Amino acid sequence: MPAEHAPSFGRSNGSELRLDRLVKRFSRGEPAVQIDELRIRAGEFVTLVGPSGCGKTTTMRMIAGLEDPSEGEIYFGGKPVVDLSVQRRNVAMVFQNYALYPHMRVSENLEYGLKKRGVPRAEREVRVLAVARMLRIDGMLDRRPRQLSGGEQQRVALGRAIIRTPEVLLLDEPLSNLDAKLRTFMRAELVKLQRQVGCTTVFVTHDQLEAMTMSDRIAVMRSGRIQQFDTPQDIYNHPANLFVAGFIGSPPMNFIAGTAEGGGGGCTFRAQGLQLHVSDADCGGRLRPGDGRQVTLGIRPEHVGLDGGSGDLAAVVSVVELIGAEKYVFLESEAGELIARTNADARLQPGDRLFCRFQRGKIRMFDSTTERACVEPLA
Ligand SMILES: Nc1ncnc2c1ncn2[C@@H]1O[C@H](COP(=O)(O)OP(=O)(O)OP(=O)(O)O)[C@@H](O)[C@H]1O
Ligand SMILES: [Mg+2]
């Protein structure tokens, strides 16, 4: 939307959000959250992604002020906020189970937070209308929540959060109870909305596709810790460890455990049925030298080419799945099972014998012991 047509309820002065040595312990043993540092730029859209129980909601609740950290500090625009109550932090939240007030009309739901803060009626009306237009719910301001579809209710919940133009907007799986089609639509809407409002946004999902498509940067979490904080592209192309490599991307990256000899310019990777010279260029960075160590080779399904004549690894097709525009080809080899993505026209069937060719430049290497990438990406 061109700026001159943008609704005039004001832009948020989104502020930098910084978590500093933030720890939350619910019981003895490993903390539920342990974040050394997370620095989110003003106006940035950052997604926390990770499996169930990895600490996403707990992190959000600490940012909001609903949960006290056991240790550490949180800064909004450089100001420490841990000692401030929820009301005194300029933060708004939409959670998975957003509850609208059922007895209030849409307009009353939207203006509720403003009214509580003593914003005069005339200004409330202007803002309600502007937010409702932006969310395209201006035709339903007099309805009650039960007279709205799931997607419309979702938009009211979002409207209620952004109407105060918070510094920090927290969204914890706000799309998870929508059907797939509406979810795809709301995903794009939400990103547009966030750009218009400008508030620093932390979004939680356990859907890696949602994280990839929506975010400026993604923080991948596991067991309370951040595994990698990077742009979607860098996370996809240069995963920092085996967990991130396996979590982001669908179907997931193929892994082959083996050994690497040599280094400093390249190595020879060996696994059952496979011997491959991997140069620095082949793995998109500088391979850290080491002799005969245990490594895991990673290659994404779209980088496994299939060839009837020759290639890196002999394989047999076990299953072929047609996924609309492409096919997922499941393969068995001496080095283990692999998945390749091919175009939908590829003529393949179970039992076919062929060769996998790993696209040079796309091979990734991980230390099997530390699970960390053993390639330094070239700047
Ligand atoms: N109030 C609580 N008391 C005790 N343990 C808790 C409490 N809240 C969360 N936990 C624990 O802290 C860990 C992190 O929980 P959290 O809700 O932050 O996970 P999550 O990443 O949001 O997961 P999900 O994707 O399932 O929503 C879990 O092991 C959970 O059992
Ligand atoms: Mg959660």
Side-chain angles (χ1 to χ4, degrees):
M1 193 184 301
E4 62 269 29
H5 301 310
S8 58
F9 77 101
R11 266 177 75 84
S12 154
N13 296 316
S15 54
E16 186 196 69
L17 169 63
R18 183 156 69 90
L19 313 186
D20 183 29
R21 279 167 284 180
L22 195 67
V23 177
K24 180 67 190 184
R25 275 189 205 92
F26 288 111
S27 52
R28 268 182 276 161
E30 282 298 295
V33 172
Q34 185 161 20
I35 295 176
D36 295 336
E37 193 189 39
L38 182 67
R39 195 189 280 262
I40 299 175
R41 293 192 275 262
E44 200 174 16
F45 192 116
V46 164
T47 299
L48 300 183
V49 68
S52 186
C54 72
K56 304 180 296 293
T57 297
T58 305
T59 304
M60 298 287 260
R61 288 175 56 82
M62 288 192 281
I63 299 170
L66 297 167
E67 196 82 71
D68 288 329
S70 312
E71 290 168 33
E73 188 53 88
I74 299 169
Y75 299 90
F76 285 14
K79 299 184 307 277
V81 297
V82 160
D83 293 331
L84 299 183
S85 64
V86 185
Q87 288 74 23
R88 299 198 42 222
R89 299 185 194 189
N90 190 3
V91 53
M93 295 159 280
V94 182
F95 287 128
Q96 179 176 350
N97 302 313
Y98 59 89
L100 299 176
Y101 299 108
H103 57 285
M104 289 186 192
R105 291 177 301 150
V106 168
S107 56
E108 292 163 321
N109 265 287
L110 288 173
E111 72 173 356
Y112 185 76
L114 298 177
K115 207 167 169 180
K116 253 190 7 193
R117 283 174 171 74
V119 176
R121 172 193 289 257
E123 187 181 339
R124 291 200 312 259
E125 283 176 1
V126 171
R127 284 188 176 220
V128 164
L129 203 58
V131 165
R133 282 204 185 119
M134 187 189 258
L135 290 163
R136 280 178 271 129
I137 46 175
D138 47 327
M140 36 195 98
L141 288 172
D142 290 330
R143 293 200 210 158
R144 313 230 180 246
R146 69 183 144 74
Q147 299 168 300
L148 301 176
S149 73
E152 288 158 357
Q153 289 184 30
Q154 195 80 51
R155 276 182 263 166
V156 177
L158 274 172
R160 203 171 51 172
I162 62 170
I163 199 163
R164 294 194 286 110
T165 57
E167 277 175 89
V168 174
L169 177 62
L170 304 175
L171 304 167
D172 192 347
E173 310 234 12
L175 308 182
S176 57
N177 45 12
L178 301 181
D179 67 53
K181 196 168 162 195
L182 189 56
R183 197 174 163 133
T184 308
F185 174 76
M186 281 303 292
R187 210 193 271 163
E189 290 285 291
L190 192 57
V191 170
K192 257 197 303 193
L193 189 72
Q194 193 264 348
R195 297 271 178 269
Q196 282 174 37
V197 179
C199 46
T200 308
T201 302
V202 189
F203 178 82
V204 162
T205 182
H206 54 247
D207 179 336
Q208 54 89 25
L209 182 67
E210 220 158 75
M212 285 293 293
T213 52
M214 297 177 72
S215 326
D216 293 316
R217 285 190 292 171
I218 299 175
V220 182
M221 289 182 75
R222 180 197 200 183
S223 308
R225 292 168 184 270
I226 293 180
Q227 305 290 305
Q228 189 171 4
F229 181 42
D230 250 321
T231 62
Q233 199 180 7
D234 281 345
I235 292 218
Y236 193 78
N237 292 332
H238 296 285
N241 59 36
L242 278 173
F243 174 78
V244 174
F247 192 78
I248 300 285
S250 175
M253 186 180 263
N254 296 294
F255 295 126
I256 300 172
T259 56
E261 276 170 45
C267 71
T268 302
F269 176 81
R270 284 195 187 86
Q272 195 80 27
L274 176 65
Q275 178 171 325
L276 200 64
H277 180 75
V278 182
S279 70
D280 285 351
D282 293 339
C283 58
R286 195 172 298 115
L287 205 56
R288 291 189 200 119
D291 257 347
R293 66 169 160 190
Q294 304 298 311
V295 296
T296 299
L297 179 150
I299 184 92
R300 294 213 180 267
E302 62 270 33
H303 301 137
V304 178
L306 300 178
D307 188 316
S310 66
D312 299 316
L313 175 66
V316 181
V317 175
S318 57
V319 175
V320 180
E321 286 181 356
L322 176 64
I323 315 286
E326 57 183 5
K327 277 179 176 160
Y328 296 168
V329 185
F330 294 74
L331 302 144
E332 278 164 17
S333 78
E334 280 187 57
E337 291 175 11
L338 286 99
I339 305 179
R341 278 164 75 166
T342 65
N343 65 44
D345 310 328
R347 277 198 220 142
L348 290 163
Q349 45 194 346
D352 284 356
R353 291 182 176 278
L354 38 69
F355 289 89
C356 299
R357 187 184 294 279
F358 302 151
Q359 193 176 318
R360 301 303 190 256
K362 301 296 184 183
I363 294 170
R364 297 293 172 260
M365 297 287 229
F366 303 90
D367 185 303
S368 299
T369 313
T370 64
E371 303 199 343
R372 284 204 290 265
C374 46
V375 171
E376 283 157 17
L378 295 175

